[in-house]
Amino acid sequence: MVMNPKQVFLSVLIFGVAGLLLFMYLQVWIEEQHTGRVEKKREQKATSVTREKIQEHITDQNPKFHIPEDPKGKKENLLLNSERPTRVLRKTSHSQGEDQTLGKTTEPPTIKLSEKHEGTRTIFKKFIEMKWPLDIRPLNKSLVKDNRWKETDVAQETRRSFLQEFCKKYGGVSRPQSHLFHMVSRIYVEDKHKILYCEVPKAGCSNWKRILMVLSGLASSAYNISHDAVHYGKHLKKLDSFDLKGIYTRLNTYTKAVFVRDPMERLVSAFRDKFEHPNSYYHPVFGKAIIKKYRPNACEEALNNGSGVKFKEFVHYLLDSHRPVGMDIHWEKVSKLCYPCLINYDFVGKFETLEEDANYFLQLVGAPKELKFPNFKDRHSSDERTNTQVVRQYLKDLTRTERQLIYDFYYLDYLMFNYTTPFL
C-alpha cells in the first residue's frame, strides 16, 4: 500500500509528538529521582544536625563532674548526675592533673558514690551550693593595739564598703561565671597566719611575696630574698593547687587581701619594666610581634630582636581586639585577675599608700612586730618610680582618642576601686 504525502506527514507528526512527550516524561522522571535523592540527603543531614544539637543540649543538662581524688590517691572516676538544668564550669588543675568541674544547679545534684567517698561528696555539694559572691566579713581587729592605725582603718572600711556597694549594684551575679580554678589561680596562700593574697603585678607584688615567705618560715628577712627566688623559686603555694575542700575552707576562713594601683600608672610601670630594659622573654615574645604589626617599615634588627617597642605601639597592641600575641598578667585588668565581685576581699590595699596599708594588714593578721613591709624597689632601682608626672610624659605621645580608649579598657578597675579619672 502506497501512502500519499498527506498520510506520511500525519504519521511523522504523530511519531514526533509521541517522541517529544516521551522525552518530556523521561526528563520529569529523572528530575524527580534526582530531587528525591537530594531531599533525602538534606533530610539525613538535617536529622544529623538536629541529633547533634539535641545531644549537645542533653550534655549541657546532664554533665559529668570529676571531683578530686581522695587522699589515698585512688584513681576512680566518680560520676555525678544532675537532675536539673546545669551550667558547667571547667578548669584543669595542673597540681592534680584532673579536670575539675563546678556545676551551677537549681537543685543539689543527685550523687551516686560509694560510702568511702562520702566526705568528698559532701564538700563537693557544699561548693556547688556555695553562696556567690562570698560574704564580706568584719575585720578582726583584736590584734591591733596601736591607736596610730585609726585613719588607715577608716580608709580601709571606706574602700571595703565602696567595693561591696559597687558589686551589689553592678555585679548582677549569684554564681561564678568563670572557671573556678582560674578564679583563684592568682591567689597565694600562707597557712600559718591564714592569709590569701591575690597577686596584682606592678602593685607591690614582689615585696608581698617576700613577706609571705617570711611569714611562712621560708626566709628570715624580706631583704635577703632575690627577685628570681621570689618569682621563679616556686616556694609559695597558690590556692588552685589545693583540692575543692582546701579551696572551700580557705576562702571561707582565711583573711583575703588584694592590693591595687591606678590602672594608667600600673600600665606605664609595666611598659617601662618590660620594654625599656633588656628582657629575654618580653622582647622576643611580645616585642617582635608588636613591632611587626604596628611599626611600618620596621628595620630588620628590630624585627629580629623585638627591642625598642614604643609606648604608642604597645598601646595599639593593648587596644587591638586581634592582638598578635595574647594578654599578660602585668597589664591585665584587676577585675580579671582577682574577681573582686565574687571573692569579697577582707582587705583592699592601694599602691599609693602601700607601706601604710601593708603594715596595718600585718598587724591585723598577727605578724611578728619586727616584720615591716619592705620599701625598696625590686628592680631597676636607679629609675624614677612611675608616678603621676611620669605617666603624663608617656600619655603626651598619644592622641586624645587613644588615651580615652585606655581609660575605657580599664574602666571597671577605675570604678571598682574608686580611682579618679586620669588626665586625658
Side-chain angles (χ1 to χ4, degrees):
M1 179 181 174
V2 180
M3 297 178 64
N4 58 42
K6 186 176 180 179
Q7 290 176 323
V8 172
F9 174 77
L10 287 174
S11 298
V12 171
L13 182 61
I14 291 171
F15 278 110
V17 171
L20 181 62
L21 291 173
L22 179 61
F23 173 80
M24 291 172 65
Y25 171 79
L26 288 173
Q27 188 177 32
V28 171
W29 181 80
I30 291 170
E31 287 179 355
E32 286 177 347
Q33 292 297 314
H34 176 70
T35 303
R37 285 195 297 270
V38 170
E39 290 298 325
K40 189 174 182 180
K41 287 182 179 179
R42 286 179 180 172
E43 185 179 354
Q44 290 174 343
K45 185 176 181 181
T47 303
S48 175
V49 171
T50 303
R51 283 176 182 164
E52 289 177 3
K53 288 184 176 180
I54 292 173
Q55 187 62 44
E56 184 180 5
H57 182 68
I58 291 173
T59 302
D60 287 341
Q61 301 287 316
N62 300 284
K64 294 181 179 180
F65 297 87
H66 293 283
I67 57 182
E69 298 173 10
D70 65 4
K72 297 178 181 179
K74 294 186 179 181
K75 298 181 179 179
E76 298 182 15
N77 290 326
L78 308 176
L79 180 66
L80 294 88
N81 296 315
S82 176
E83 295 178 347
R84 296 292 298 272
T86 308
R87 182 174 299 167
V88 184
L89 306 174
R90 300 175 187 269
K91 167 71 169 67
T92 299
S93 172
H94 300 294
S95 62
Q96 297 180 20
E98 296 291 339
D99 230 14
Q100 307 294 338
T101 312
L102 176 66
K104 178 180 179 181
T105 61
T106 52
E107 290 183 358
T110 302
I111 307 175
K112 298 179 180 179
L113 296 173
S114 59
E115 289 187 7
K116 63 183 176 181
H117 293 301
E118 282 294 319
T120 308
R121 179 184 74 169
T122 302
I123 194 64
F124 188 79
K125 285 181 69 177
K126 282 184 179 179
F127 221 109
I128 291 174
E129 297 163 3
M130 194 168 170
K131 182 182 177 182
W132 295 94
L134 300 179
D135 288 331
I136 191 166
R137 299 171 300 163
L139 279 171
N140 181 4
K141 302 170 187 177
S142 61
L143 297 174
V144 180
K145 307 298 183 183
D146 198 334
N147 289 329
R148 74 186 183 92
W149 300 110
K150 187 173 181 180
E151 288 186 13
T152 307
D153 178 65
V154 170
Q156 183 56 219
E157 292 298 338
T158 301
R159 291 173 195 164
R160 278 161 39 98
S161 299
F162 183 89
L163 180 59
Q164 186 181 21
E165 289 304 313
F166 172 86
C167 292
K168 279 183 181 178
K169 186 174 181 180
Y170 299 105
V173 293
S174 58
R175 293 285 177 94
Q177 303 298 306
S178 183
H179 302 160
L180 166 67
F181 283 81
H182 176 72
M183 278 173 49
V184 300
S185 64
R186 305 310 316 169
I187 298 179
Y188 285 85
V189 179
E190 201 284 290
D191 285 316
K192 186 177 178 181
H193 295 82
K194 297 187 175 182
I195 298 170
L196 296 182
Y197 163 71
C198 187
E199 175 192 29
V200 177
K202 312 312 298 178
C205 71
S206 297
N207 282 338
W208 258 117
K209 290 180 187 178
R210 290 184 172 94
I211 287 292
L212 294 178
M213 290 175 70
V214 173
L215 288 173
S216 61
L218 295 170
S220 58
S221 171
Y223 291 87
N224 299 330
I225 309 171
S226 68
H227 175 86
D228 287 351
V230 167
H231 291 285
Y232 309 120
K234 306 295 182 185
H235 302 294
L236 297 171
K237 293 176 289 187
K238 288 186 177 180
L239 192 52
D240 66 344
S241 68
F242 294 89
D243 59 16
L244 287 174
K245 180 179 180 180
I247 296 174
Y248 173 83
T249 302
R250 287 168 176 80
L251 281 175
N252 282 280
T253 59
Y254 283 25
T255 303
K256 303 178 289 293
V258 60
F259 277 71
V260 299
R261 186 177 186 177
D262 178 275
M264 200 76 77
E265 191 174 296
R266 180 171 162 251
L267 178 69
V268 173
S269 177
F271 172 78
R272 295 177 72 200
D273 180 30
K274 304 306 178 187
F275 295 102
E276 292 188 348
H277 296 274
N279 193 297
S280 60
Y281 173 73
Y282 284 90
H283 290 192
V285 175
F286 287 86
K288 288 168 69 172
I290 290 172
I291 290 171
K292 183 178 179 180
K293 183 166 185 179
Y294 306 107
R295 183 181 299 178
N297 305 315
C299 69
E300 197 68 27
E301 182 181 0
L303 291 170
N304 287 335
N305 60 34
S307 299
V309 172
K310 299 182 172 100
F311 185 64
K312 192 180 186 75
E313 296 167 339
F314 175 66
V315 168
H316 287 176
Y317 144 78
L318 179 76
L319 301 175
D320 190 350
S321 58
H322 302 286
R323 300 183 190 96
V325 61
M327 278 295 288
D328 183 85
I329 60 170
H330 290 84
W331 45 84
E332 180 62 279
K333 307 163 192 174
V334 177
S335 55
K336 286 193 172 183
L337 291 173
C338 298
Y339 296 89
C341 278
L342 288 171
I343 303 172
N344 277 332
Y345 289 89
D346 304 301
F347 194 94
V348 180
K350 289 194 172 183
F351 185 81
E352 292 75 14
T353 52
L354 176 59
E355 202 171 340
E356 185 179 346
D357 289 346
N359 286 323
Y360 177 52
F361 179 80
L362 292 176
Q363 292 277 311
L364 290 170
V365 297
K369 289 183 179 180
E370 65 274 11
L371 181 61
K372 304 297 179 185
F373 193 83
N375 58 5
F376 64 85
K377 203 165 184 274
D378 188 49
R379 291 199 300 173
H380 319 307
S381 56
S382 61
D383 289 1
E384 181 184 4
R385 282 190 181 272
T386 304
N387 53 34
T388 304
Q389 288 70 36
V390 172
V391 169
R392 289 195 177 194
Q393 292 302 313
Y394 281 81
L395 294 183
K396 280 168 57 178
D397 296 333
L398 306 179
T399 65
R400 182 178 179 83
T401 299
E402 289 167 341
R403 295 195 295 268
Q404 181 64 51
L405 288 173
I406 296 174
Y407 173 70
D408 293 344
F409 183 84
Y410 289 109
Y411 183 62
L412 195 57
D413 284 0
Y414 273 103
L415 292 183
M416 277 184 170
F417 303 107
N418 200 21
Y419 277 109
T420 306
T421 304
F423 169 75
L424 298 174

